[in-house]
Amino acid sequence: MHGFGHESLRVFEEMIKEGIPPNIITFVSLLGACSHAGLVDEGRRLFESMVDYNVTPRAEHYACMVDLLGRAGHLYEAVELIQSMHIEPTPQVWGSLLGACRIHGHVEYAEMACSRLFDLEPRNAGNYVLLADIYARAKLPIQADVLKELIEEHALEKVPGCSWIEVKKRLYSFVSVDNKNLQLEELQALIGEFVAHMKNEGYVPDTGSVLYDIEEEEKERILLGHSEKLAVAFGLINTGRGEVIRITKNLRLCEDCHSVTKFISKFTEREIVVRDTER
C-alpha cells in the first residue's frame, strides 16, 4: 500500500529460499505491491507462476492484475484477461477496469465495465459517478447528464468525502463543502492563497472531477472545499512549525488535492501524510 514494490519482491524471494510455500494471500499482496509500484513485467511473471505453487487464481488476483495492467495503460490486455477468466468476473474486477478507464479516459471500456457493474451493484452510486466523470472529461456532457439523472431517479446516495485530523489529542473531521464549519472561510482563504502562488508557477486546477454544469471559476471554488484541503489548512493553523500533519480520508484522494497538498508541503516545509482508501 505504501509503494514498496521492490522490497516486497525481495521478501518473497527470501520466503521461497527458506522453503515457505506462498498462498492466496501472498499473491494478493505481491500483485497489489506490483500495481502500486508500476512493476508490470514482475506482476505478469508472478501471476503466471501461481500454478507452480499450486495456487489457483481467484477473483481478487484477477482484480489485482486488471488494476496493474490498467494503471500502466495496457487496457486491451486487461480486457483480454477478464474475458479469459475461468470464473465469473466480480464487481471488484470490473471496478478495477473502470478505475483504469478513468485514469486513461477510455470511454468504450468504461461503458463495458459499467454495463456489468450496474447489474451486479445496482445501488452503488460510485459506479455511476465514475462513468459520469469519464464522460465529462471526454467532453460528452449529454451522457454525463443522463448518468446524473439516473442517480437522482434511483435515489442513489454518493458517500460524501470526509477527512480526519488529530490535533493535540483531539480528532477533528471535515466534510467536503461543509457550510456548518465555523472556520470554513478562514480555511478556504488559506488554501486560496496557496492556489494563487501555485498558479504563478504553472498550476492549473483539475476541475474535471466537478460534474456540475457551472462556470469554471465556480468549479474551482468547489475544489477549495474538498475535505482533505480543509483538513490540511486546519493542520497548518493549529499545529506548530515542524510538526507532521497526518490526515485520513474515507475516499480516494482526487488528483487536484494530491497536487495542491504536494505544493503546500514544499512551500511550508511541512511533512504532510494523507492516508486514503488505497494508500
Side-chain angles (χ1 to χ4, degrees), residues 45-239:
R45 178 177 55 78
L46 284 165
F47 184 74
E48 291 169 1
S49 74
M50 288 176 66
V51 292
D52 298 334
Y53 301 100
N54 295 318
V55 179
T56 302
R58 296 190 181 186
E60 46 265 53
H61 300 109
Y62 282 103
C64 286
M65 278 303 296
V66 171
D67 186 59
L68 168 65
L69 294 168
R71 282 174 186 265
H74 303 294
L75 290 167
Y76 181 74
E77 187 179 347
V79 171
E80 278 195 323
L81 180 65
I82 294 173
Q83 293 172 339
S84 71
M85 287 177 62
H86 64 278
I87 54 177
E88 193 66 28
T90 61
Q92 190 180 8
V93 173
W94 290 115
S96 294
L97 178 62
L98 181 60
C101 290
R102 183 182 181 278
I103 294 171
H104 299 287
H106 201 296
V107 174
E108 182 184 348
Y109 287 155
E111 291 175 335
M112 175 197 297
C114 281
S115 69
R116 303 303 303 273
L117 285 168
F118 292 163
D119 289 334
L120 294 168
E121 299 179 322
R123 302 298 304 171
N124 187 342
N127 296 326
Y128 290 84
V129 172
L130 262 182
L131 183 57
D133 187 12
I134 292 168
Y135 281 144
R137 290 171 183 269
K139 309 297 183 187
L140 299 170
I142 295 175
Q143 289 88 330
D145 288 341
V146 169
L147 264 295
K148 285 185 280 185
E149 288 172 8
L150 283 173
I151 291 172
E152 293 177 8
E153 184 183 318
H154 296 298
L156 302 177
E157 291 188 9
K158 181 180 181 292
V159 178
C162 185
S163 297
W164 295 267
I165 182 172
E166 185 178 331
V167 176
K168 297 180 176 63
K169 297 186 179 180
R170 282 192 62 186
L171 196 64
Y172 298 86
S173 64
F174 299 88
V175 179
S176 293
V177 196
D178 186 357
N179 295 319
K180 295 179 182 178
N181 192 298
L182 298 177
Q183 273 192 295
L184 181 65
E185 288 188 14
E186 182 185 5
L187 300 178
Q188 286 188 323
L190 180 58
I191 295 297
E193 287 179 27
F194 286 120
V195 167
H197 285 299
M198 291 174 66
K199 285 183 176 179
N200 290 333
E201 297 190 11
Y203 159 75
V204 177
D206 186 353
T207 57
S209 60
V210 182
L211 302 180
Y212 303 108
D213 186 16
I214 53 180
E215 295 295 325
E216 201 69 15
E217 186 176 329
E218 184 64 13
K219 288 184 178 182
E220 290 184 25
R221 191 192 68 77
I222 289 175
L223 285 178
L224 291 179
H226 278 194
S227 65
E228 51 269 55
K229 290 192 181 84
L230 298 177
V232 168
F234 183 85
L236 290 171
I237 293 171
N238 294 283
T239 60

